Amino acid sequence: MEPPLDIKPALHLPKDLKDRILTDQRLSLHQKFVLFTLYYLDSKGKLDEYGSYVPHFLNLREEDFKKSIDNLVRHNYLRFDNESLSLNIRPLRYNPGLSV
């Protein structure tokens, strides 16, 4: 049985990456939540399922979700290649080896 998803890995992004996202004034709060959720999904190996998880996790309407993704692509946080979403900045690892 696969362990349940939890949010802890999302909190272990490198400090410089978290700071960059949190201080980027081009991004709305919703877009920042979408981006952190995408990092969380990536940490669990489920980034390819972002379309079903992100709107559900964040209670976003499809239109708002698509706008957020488009803005994150425009601001170079994400890219689409062959209908697949990927993160432009990806940590080498999500868990720094510290227990929380």
Side-chain angles (χ1 to χ4, degrees):
M1 175 187 246
E2 188 175 320
L5 295 176
D6 69 38
I7 198 70
K8 287 181 185 175
L11 303 175
H12 293 298
L13 289 174
K15 182 177 177 1
D16 58 333
L17 177 57
K18 274 197 291 193
D19 289 347
R20 177 182 175 184
I21 294 167
L22 291 172
T23 60
D24 191 336
Q25 295 183 0
R26 301 171 303 169
L27 302 180
S28 70
L29 187 57
H30 277 285
Q31 292 163 358
K32 291 174 185 180
F33 279 125
V34 168
L35 187 55
F36 280 123
T37 303
L38 292 171
Y39 276 108
Y40 166 71
L41 291 172
D42 186 52
S43 75
K44 294 299 186 181
K46 296 192 178 291
L47 186 59
D48 59 336
E49 300 173 48
Y50 74 96
S52 58
Y53 280 111
V54 176
H56 177 72
F57 281 173
L58 300 178
N59 197 27
L60 289 175
R61 294 181 316 180
E62 189 68 24
E63 177 183 316
D64 294 333
F65 167 64
K66 287 181 179 181
K67 283 181 186 177
S68 290
I69 294 293
D70 290 344
N71 281 323
L72 291 168
V73 169
R74 190 172 74 245
H75 293 305
N76 294 316
Y77 283 98
L78 308 174
R79 70 180 174 276
F80 278 108
D81 296 321
N82 300 321
E83 302 295 322
S84 176
L85 182 81
S86 56
L87 298 161
N88 280 337
I89 303 168
R90 192 164 181 260
L92 294 176
R93 61 186 178 153
Y94 285 94
N95 292 319
L98 301 173
S99 57
V100 177

